[in-house]
Amino acid sequence: MPVGPDYAAAPVHTALPDSLYTPVRPAHFPEHRLRYFNAEAARTVGLDALSESEVLAHFGQFTPLPDNLSEPLALAYHGHQFQVYNPDLGDGRGFLYAQLRESHTGRLLDLGTKGSGRTPWSRGGDGRLTLKGGVRELLASTLLEARGVDTSRTFCVVETGETLMRNDEPSPARSCVLTRLSHSHIRIGTFQRLAFLDDRPALAALVDHVVEHLLPEAQGAHLPDRAVALVEAACTRVARVGAQWLAAGFVHGVLNSDNINITGESFDYGPWRFLPTLDPGFTAAYFDGGGLYAFGRQPDALLWNLTRLAECLLPLATRDRLEPALEAFEPALHRHFVERVLARLGVSSRGDDDEALAVALWRFLRESRLPFEQVFHDWHGGPAALDRAADGPLGHDYRSAQFQPIRTLLERFEPTSAAVQAQHALAREAPPTLLIDEVETLWTAIADRDDWTGLQQALDAIARYRHVVTGHDPDPHLLA
Ligand code: AMP
Ligand code: MG
């Protein structure tokens, strides 16, 4: 029995206009070696009972799951890449493998791949993912989840035994296929493709599909109402994820419109980085010389993309109605930013003081350039963390005149009950950070010695930390 009672197949993508997908075949790989399996994510969709050989059959060879898509679908989309329109995008090295329901919420989730072979949208590419690319996406998604970001999860990574040539990695490089579990793969670029093709009926069908399956809050009696409500819902959700990235100290790196999920869930991790210190100009991608997607420009980049989404819907609703829908973005960004900073500090809301605390702390982090994550770690629990912060590596800095207003503010807040309980564990743990040098060190051990213990330890440390700050039960992320 390969699937459990919580498995609920929901292959709904084929109900969309067929200009949005093409059936494809997975590549045949010389080897299938399971490197990572996310048992916790698998449990949420009833796939935790799969044996290792079943996991490899489904996520290395892509034998269909029961009652699911009978063949993988390469998804079609367009997109603005660094603000330049590209009508030749689409899944060039991935596909939608299956769709299912999350057991405790009923949400529609996709199992989608990266590195599973060539498709009609591969252009000159080989359709493959380097093992380092797979390990990097695994690391980003795991730490983001622990820092409270709505993110796709890495479901599994299978090393596939090929050698790849890349300009930006030592080559030949090892290959893998990564499968992610994600709340949709419909992107802003999906809408852009249909607007570009001037296919109004297909656009209308996409709006209704998204409202039905992904954005239930976007209700409306008539199609124009739903189109406007969809823009508003997308703005609110994308703003939330932008706020979560800021509070998590995360730079996505490539905020092209094909990488913005309509559900707002964060996904597709290439040249990402976490901040060492708060620097709005900190840029992740080496090919982003102008800093278009720098840390502090991420909200602007998201709103720019959402504006492109609203433009796509002009055939369905008037400009007079779509433009105001974009105004949902700013207040949502602001509200969620304050909320997330407080959550990262483990303190309860005090209404009007919340904003003052978030803003003052942010300014302090920017001006002091103290290690971003250490400060959140030290002050998790607010007043409950006073002694721990004073005894920690930055105790001296917290006695500075610049910090005193923040300390005064912090002392007015109540720690959450989870944060009170977390104090002992926080005193023992160092916060997991995944700065670029740490990522490179983890990777070098794998590349040079096939030594996966550092990666396993990093994932375990993140799981433990997540348990401490969220009360979430750790569940070992298994490295096979
Ligand atoms: P990404 O930067 O991963 O979001 O990819 C941007 C576009 O390039 C998408 O259409 C990808 O499918 C495509 N792409 C990236 N790498 C490859 C590759 N090795 N082979 C084929 N297509 C690729
Ligand atoms: Mg992408």
Side-chain angles (χ1 to χ4, degrees):
M1 175 71 172
V3 297
D6 284 343
Y7 171 80
V12 300
H13 198 86
T14 45
L16 280 165
D18 56 16
S19 56
L20 288 179
Y21 59 89
T22 304
V24 289
R25 295 223 171 116
H28 288 287
F29 296 112
E31 253 178 59
H32 301 95
R33 186 185 285 249
L34 186 59
R35 290 301 188 183
Y36 171 81
F37 183 67
N38 190 336
E40 181 188 312
R43 182 161 329 121
T44 66
V45 289
L47 291 175
D48 49 315
L50 297 180
S51 67
E52 181 166 335
S53 65
E54 286 167 339
V55 169
L56 290 175
H58 291 298
F59 301 99
Q61 291 173 312
F62 298 99
T63 307
L65 281 167
D67 308 318
N68 225 300
L69 296 174
S70 55
E71 36 188 6
L73 306 177
L75 304 185
Y77 46 84
H78 290 182
H80 278 92
Q81 298 181 298
F82 289 86
Q83 301 189 343
V84 178
Y85 199 74
N86 185 346
D88 285 322
L89 289 172
D91 282 343
R93 55 169 164 174
F95 49 61
L96 181 66
Y97 166 62
Q99 292 186 291
L100 15 72
R101 300 265 163 211
E102 188 171 43
S103 56
H104 58 290
T105 63
R107 286 192 315 164
L108 179 65
L109 298 182
D110 292 351
L111 285 164
T113 63
K114 197 168 181 179
S116 47
R118 290 180 53 79
T119 77
W121 289 285
S122 299
R123 295 172 285 165
D126 59 7
R128 304 311 202 257
L129 174 67
T130 64
L131 184 60
K132 183 178 185 183
V135 166
R136 281 182 50 87
E137 174 147 341
L138 164 62
L139 286 168
S141 59
T142 308
L143 187 53
L144 283 172
E145 188 177 5
R147 289 192 188 175
V149 175
D150 294 327
T151 176
S152 68
R153 279 170 288 168
T154 300
F155 190 82
C156 68
V157 178
V158 176
E159 186 169 0
T160 45
E162 296 181 321
T163 50
L164 309 178
M165 300 311 287
R166 291 288 183 273
N167 296 325
D168 52 0
E169 276 186 44
S171 297
R174 289 156 75 173
S175 66
C176 73
V177 55
L178 176 146
T179 301
R180 65 166 82 101
L181 187 62
S182 161
H183 186 34
S184 139
H185 282 83
I186 294 176
R187 314 127 192 275
I188 290 180
T190 312
F191 289 82
Q192 288 181 292
R193 176 177 167 93
L194 297 179
F196 183 92
L197 297 175
D198 206 11
D199 190 344
R200 189 179 180 281
L203 207 47
L206 179 60
V207 166
D208 282 338
H209 180 95
V210 167
V211 170
E212 180 183 350
H213 294 291
L214 301 168
L215 302 176
E217 68 272 39
Q219 291 301 322
H222 305 289
L223 180 61
D225 306 326
R226 292 193 293 280
V228 170
L230 181 148
V231 172
E232 214 173 285
C235 282
T236 306
R237 291 185 181 217
V238 171
R240 181 174 63 196
V241 91
Q244 291 169 345
W245 286 340
L246 296 181
F250 183 70
V251 193
H252 180 283
V254 192
L255 296 183
N256 293 336
S257 60
D258 54 308
N259 283 344
I260 314 290
N261 196 321
I262 198 69
T263 63
E265 197 176 85
S266 165
F267 82 125
D268 206 0
Y269 304 115
W272 60 268
R273 292 207 191 180
F274 284 97
L275 292 179
T277 64
L278 180 43
D279 170 7
F282 188 82
T283 301
Y286 69 89
F287 46 84
D288 185 9
L292 182 66
Y293 299 142
F295 178 71
R297 291 212 185 126
Q298 294 182 113
D300 288 347
L302 293 175
L303 183 55
W304 191 91
N305 283 304
L306 288 160
T307 308
R308 306 288 81 75
L309 172 68
E311 282 167 2
C312 290
L313 298 180
L314 281 169
L316 304 183
T318 60
R319 184 176 292 273
D320 287 359
R321 296 193 62 197
L322 286 165
E323 264 177 8
L326 290 166
E327 289 166 17
F329 182 83
E330 285 295 343
L333 179 80
H334 198 84
R335 183 175 77 248
H336 287 297
F337 172 71
V338 171
E339 194 182 294
R340 283 308 308 158
V341 170
L342 259 67
R344 298 222 64 213
L345 288 170
V347 295
S348 305
S349 169
R350 274 184 52 91
D352 290 349
D353 285 343
D354 296 358
E355 170 155 349
L357 175 61
V359 169
L361 178 68
W362 209 247
R363 184 176 305 135
F364 174 79
L365 285 166
R366 202 175 60 227
E367 289 170 358
S368 68
R369 294 286 169 102
L370 289 182
F372 183 87
E373 196 54 24
Q374 186 71 42
V375 173
F376 280 102
H377 170 84
D378 288 344
W379 289 102
H380 189 82
L386 274 170
D387 293 343
R388 196 166 54 76
D391 294 343
L394 303 178
H396 173 77
D397 301 275
Y398 300 140
R399 286 187 281 278
S400 68
Q402 296 93 301
F403 192 73
Q404 293 327 299
I406 294 150
R407 192 191 170 101
T408 308
L409 271 168
L410 270 168
E411 287 186 31
R412 284 195 220 153
F413 282 77
E414 291 277 334
T416 62
S417 55
V420 172
Q421 283 184 15
Q423 292 307 314
H424 283 300
L426 288 170
R428 290 193 308 268
E429 296 276 347
T433 44
L434 295 184
L435 303 182
I436 187 66
D437 292 349
E438 299 171 279
V439 174
E440 289 296 316
T441 302
L442 295 177
W443 171 249
T444 303
I446 296 168
D448 291 356
R449 305 184 296 282
D450 207 30
D451 176 358
W452 293 73
T453 53
L455 177 64
Q456 178 75 69
Q457 284 163 6
L459 296 175
D460 288 346
I462 295 169
R464 271 201 318 276
Y465 202 82
R466 177 174 163 220
H467 174 60
V468 168
V469 295
T470 66
H472 185 98
D473 266 337
D475 196 344
H477 289 89
L478 300 180
L479 284 184

